[in-house]
Each structure stands twice: as structure tokens, then as C-alpha cells.
Amino acid sequence: MTNSIPLRDRCFQLIDEIVAATLKGKIRSKQQVYQKLVSGVSSGTGEIFERCLDERHSSTQEQIENPVSEIKQAKAVRAQRALNMISSEWERVQQQNQVSVAIATATQGITQADQSERLTAFVRAIDPNREPVLNLSQLAQLAKTLQQEATASSESDRATELEQLAKGITGGLAAWGNLENDLVSWIYEQSQGSLGFEELSQQRGPWGLWAKKVNRPLPQSLFQALASNRPLDEWIRQQPTLELDAWVEITVVLQWLQRRLVSWFDQRVYNSKMGARLSISTFIVFAVIWSQIALALNQATVPQRERLIDSCFQVTLQILRTFAQREYFPLYGGVFASLSGNYLRNAMDYLNEPLRRVEGTQEKARILTLLGYSQRAQGRYDRAIQFHERALEIARSANDRPCEIANYNHLSRICVAQKNYPEAINYSQRGLILARQAGDKLGEANALANLGYSEVFQAQQQALDPDVYESAITYLQQGRQLLERLGDRQSQALCLCSLGIAYVVMQQPQEAITYLEQGWQAAQFSGDLYLQGLNLAYLAQAYYQLQNWSKTIYTGSLGGYLLEQIGTEDWRKAVGLLTILQGQLGGEVFQDLLQQQRSKILPLIGVDGYDYIPELLEKYRNSM
């Protein structure tokens, strides 16, 4: 081919040459076709080549369907096979070109950035929300390209930084290689229903194992800190230095751990609901880890602190944006589905800062919904309302109806907590109408549960006729039945808890216990510690109404402990009831009954949890 030939004719000529060579046996493999296409199609001519290839496909198919002779038809069939191979390899060429452009774009963005922005440019380049997403070999290619840029640079500071970035990527990939074979091995050493990330699960989870496997100082020390639940500000202070290459290394390692864990859980088709729950936990845990590192850096004195903090926020947002796009994103759950104890206490504060840096998008609306739920559970009602109202506004703009409906439902629950029952009923009715219009069955079920829940409390407040309770219970039962069909255990736990609370309010403890026991089981399955604690707290009230002191102490102790551990003020309801009972029975009798429940309590919260119960009672008395 010569450049004097028109471009379209050159494309046809290349296609015909490859087909002819294939029919003659001169081209025998896909790799040979690929090489011909790479050398024969120049940059910027791909669209014309594709049109020519489509035309050849069509004309050859015409020869097959309307043959002049059997011999020519047979030749056309073989030519069509060759054309199919060209199409297949052309897709590979296009994908490779796309990757090459991505690497070139990433390199340009990093090398041309100011020094203060260079780390951010790198984090942006490896964002899993970008297209195409760089894989391991492409990351290695990026490192190689950056090293070449460093070698060619005449500016010593710039060359040093680019070399550190390249070294960090290479080190991160090597560290990931040491961990890859042990990505999920730890899961088989414990219950597959739990990740083991939670503080309540001492000596479980992956961090200790990963610390032994990784051979790089900074990731190893981080994993050791996470394994022993040490505060990350202490971990930061113990680092002799935070060089750029080590920081990039840890960024690469954590990203690939999180991505591959989510991918592995998502593929657990034998139990997709369990897989989804573990994926949710993974997204939240890694987002909070990065946010905690940012907070620890903010309290430390380290070189280039601001750009390290900014990189933490960037990674956090990347994780949350990926999470918000998943179909299992928990519009009716919160961070409590995955975390507990000191690991959680200020997670909302950590996550709030990176969210300030992103504009109103559908993903932001969903993340705000998640955080609003968690704020409500912690008793921060005004802040929760701000989250949900902002999420509602963004969801409307983005036409995200399920998210819009979810925020009406969350606002309804907050109004109940604030004893504003008319407004709670109003929000639940709006959610119900919108859910039925949109065909959102999950939203409808939650709205029905909220409507019944709100009406129960309004009836109690206004001392209304018992028939009003029956109407409210009907709504709750409709929501429960719909949720059973949908199989959403998180919402089931909430609805069953609502039913149980309604019967506690109506002084029907036996009915209440039936639903609260089921609600506790559903909450354990979904992993929501807040709903576990809430069901247990009201179970204690139901058993108290039946004067079953042993079970009152058992459920009240568990509920109070779980709720206090996640930082919600609802622990006071359970522990306050135990304090009243302790006063009625006397300290010695109460302690004997608590001791009798020890064997049942230990498997759920451990020895430390059991030993903390008397301290919790004392904490309540001191706060009165």
C-alpha cells in the first residue's frame, strides 16, 4: 500500500490482503492477524476501517446467501470466517489502543501536574470509576513510563518525584502479589457469614495474616495496627518517615485488596445475598480506613501533610462512588451494617469531609442517604435530617426515584424519634404514594412499615381508640408480608422490630416477643448492629412486662452493650431498664441472674463484653 492510494481503498486493500493470506494458509493464527492490523491501520483511521470491514462482511454474506456456484459459496464461507477473525482481533487492537491512550493520558496528567498536585493526579489515574480501568499489567506499564520520564527529566526535583511514583507502583504491585493467594483464605477459618473486620470479633479477620504475608514496611505496620485495633493516629506517629514511594505503595495495595475482595464476594452465586452483604462490608470498611488515615494525618506533623490528606479523601470518594453504583447499595441500611466499637464512633465525621468536595450527583445522594441513616441511629437527628434533605434534593434532580423514596422513609423514622408523629405520617404517606407510582416494592414495604409505626405512636400519645392500633398493625403486617416476598433482610429486621415495638406499646408482650425475636435474627443475618441492639432492647421491655427477669437481663445486657458500642444513645433505654430492675431485685440477686446468663452472653459479645456490663450500669447511673 502506498500513501497515494485513498484511505478508504487502503483499508479495503488491507482487509482483502489478510483474507487472501488466510485462505492460502499464509496466515494461520489470530496473533498474525493482530500484528497485520497493528502495522496496517494508522492512528485516527479506525472508524473508516470499521466501516470498510462492515461492508466486506455484508457483501460476503450476500455471496453466501445468493451464490453464483457452490464453489464460490464455499469460498465466501471461508472468507467470512477470516473476516470474523479480523473483527475479533480488531476489537483487541481497539482495546489496546484505548489502554495506550489511557496510560499516555495518565502519564501526561502526572508529569505535567504541579508538585503539590502530582500525588492527586496519580490517584485520579488509578480511579476504578474511570474507563478503561487500569489492570495490573497496565499499572506496571505506567510505572515503566514514569521511570522513563524521570530518567529523561532535566529537573532534579521532578525526576525524583516521578522516580518515587514509579518505585511506589512497582512496590505496591509486588506487595499485592504476596497477598493475592491469601486474599480469602482467612474466611474459611471462621464463619463465612462475617468478614471479621468488626471490633467485636477479636483475633479474626485478615489483617494479622496479611501483615505476615506482605514484605513492605508501611503496609505491614498498617495491617498490624488494624489487627490489634490500635488508633491510626498512633500508627502515623510511629512511622519514621512517610516517603512518596511508600505512600503510593500502600495506595496500590489497599485498592487491589478492596477491589478483588468485592469481586470475589460478588461472584458468590451460590449465596448472592450473603455475597452482597460481605461486599457492602468491604466497601464501607475500606472507605472508613482511608478516612481514619486522613484524620490521623490531620493531627500529625509530617512533610507534605495536606497532599497526603487530599489523596486519602480522593480514594475514599472513589470507593464510595463505586459502591453507590451497585444494585445492592443499602438505601435502607447504614454503616452499622459493618462496623462497631471505636472503629466506628466517628466514621460519619471522617466521611463527611470528602463528600463536601463532590458536586451533587446520584452517587452523592445515595452516600448521603447511607450516612443519614447512621446519624439517626446515633441520635444526631438534626444532622441526619440535613443529610436526608440534601439527598432528597439531589435524588429528585438525578431522577433517582428509589433514593428519593428511601429518604422520605428515613425522614419519617426521624420524625417518630422526635415525637413529631403527624409529620412522620406525612413523610411515610408521600413515600408510599411515590413508591406505588414508581413500582418500587422495597420502598412501598418500608413506607407501609413506617406508616403503621408512626400511627401506633400517635395513637399512644393521643390515647386514641384501640381500633386505631389495629389499623396501624395492618399497615405493618402488609409491609412485613411484602418484605418476606422480596427477601430484603435489612428491611425485614426494621419492619419486624417496628411490629414488636408496636405490641410493646400496646402492652401485648407475647406478640411483641414473637416479632422481636424474628427481627433480631434478621438483623443478625444482615449484620446491622444497630437493629440487633434495638430489637434486643425492646425484647427486654417485653420480658419485663411478663416479669421474666432472667430474659430481661439477658436481652437488656446484650442490647445495651451493642448499642453503646456503636455510639447510639438508644443504649440508655436498655440499660435504664436494667437499672430499674436492679433496684427492684437488689444488687446481689441481680448479679446472680446475670451470672446465670453468662454462658449465653459470651458467644455473642465475649468475655470483655460481659465484664463491661456492670460498668455500663454504673455509667448510666453517673449520667443521670
Side-chain angles (χ1 to χ4, degrees), residues 585-622:
L585 298 176
E588 189 174 335
V589 174
F590 181 91
Q591 187 59 38
D592 286 344
L593 290 172
L594 177 60
Q595 179 65 31
Q596 291 172 23
Q597 302 302 312
R598 186 175 188 273
S599 62
K600 292 166 64 178
I601 291 174
L602 290 184
L604 296 171
I605 61 175
V607 175
D608 290 343
Y610 175 81
D611 290 343
Y612 186 62
I613 293 168
E615 295 180 37
L616 205 52
L617 290 163
E618 186 64 27
K619 178 180 177 180
Y620 177 82
R621 282 192 292 270
N622 291 337

Side-chain angles (χ1 to χ4, degrees), residues 127-259:
D127 185 353
N129 297 290
R130 291 168 68 98
E131 288 293 341
V133 181
L134 298 182
N135 61 28
L136 292 168
S137 63
Q138 290 154 6
L139 263 178
Q141 179 60 44
L142 176 61
K144 183 178 179 181
T145 306
L146 290 173
Q147 181 60 58
Q148 291 169 348
E149 289 282 340
T151 303
S153 178
S154 58
E155 300 174 30
S156 60
D157 289 346
R158 179 173 177 272
T160 299
E161 279 232 329
L162 293 178
E163 188 172 353
Q164 284 188 318
L165 283 169
K167 182 181 176 183
I169 296 171
T170 303
L173 292 175
W176 162 247
N178 291 333
L179 296 174
E180 190 169 10
N181 291 334
D182 291 288
L183 177 67
V184 294
S185 60
W186 49 277
I187 293 177
Y188 296 102
E189 299 171 7
Q190 61 187 42
S191 166
Q192 290 191 40
S194 170
L195 275 177
F197 285 137
E198 302 90 335
E199 185 185 37
L200 297 182
S201 307
Q202 297 287 350
Q203 306 304 319
R204 300 174 70 187
W207 306 117
L209 173 64
W210 290 345
K212 295 174 184 175
K213 295 290 181 179
V214 73
N215 61 353
R216 313 294 296 184
L218 194 62
Q220 185 177 64
S221 63
L222 174 62
F223 295 158
Q224 288 169 344
L226 291 171
S228 58
N229 290 309
R230 294 206 321 273
L232 292 187
D233 56 345
E234 177 186 318
W235 168 71
I236 287 288
R237 287 197 303 271
Q238 292 174 347
Q239 301 312 308
T241 181
L242 287 174
E243 296 293 342
L244 180 61
D245 56 341
W247 196 258
V248 170
E249 198 173 275
I250 206 168
T251 302
V252 171
V253 171
L254 286 178
Q255 186 192 82
W256 278 91
L257 281 170
Q258 178 255 311
R259 284 173 57 180

Side-chain angles (χ1 to χ4, degrees), residues 413-448:
R413 301 294 291 198
I414 295 171
C415 288
V416 171
Q418 294 179 319
K419 298 182 171 56
N420 185 353
Y421 306 125
E423 194 64 15
I425 291 170
N426 176 45
Y427 276 126
S428 60
Q429 286 175 333
R430 291 169 74 178
L432 182 59
I433 292 168
L434 196 58
R436 285 175 170 167
Q437 288 175 345
D440 178 6
K441 294 298 182 183
L442 182 58
E444 179 183 352
N446 276 275
L448 284 166

Side-chain angles (χ1 to χ4, degrees), residues 362-435:
Q362 180 181 0
E363 292 89 349
K364 182 171 182 176
R366 288 179 168 241
I367 296 164
L368 288 169
T369 305
L370 179 86
L371 302 185
Y373 170 97
S374 302
Q375 291 289 338
R376 170 170 63 81
Q378 290 185 299
R380 301 176 182 178
Y381 301 132
D382 291 342
R383 197 165 181 195
I385 288 171
Q386 291 174 5
F387 276 126
H388 288 304
E389 287 181 342
R390 180 64 178 137
L392 189 61
E393 177 187 338
I394 297 171
R396 282 200 199 106
S397 300
N399 199 29
D400 187 347
R401 281 297 179 86
C403 186
E404 183 181 352
I405 294 160
N407 281 283
Y408 278 127
N409 282 324
H410 286 304
L411 286 165
S412 174
R413 301 294 291 198
I414 295 171
C415 288
V416 171
Q418 294 179 319
K419 298 182 171 56
N420 185 353
Y421 306 125
E423 194 64 15
I425 291 170
N426 176 45
Y427 276 126
S428 60
Q429 286 175 333
R430 291 169 74 178
L432 182 59
I433 292 168
L434 196 58

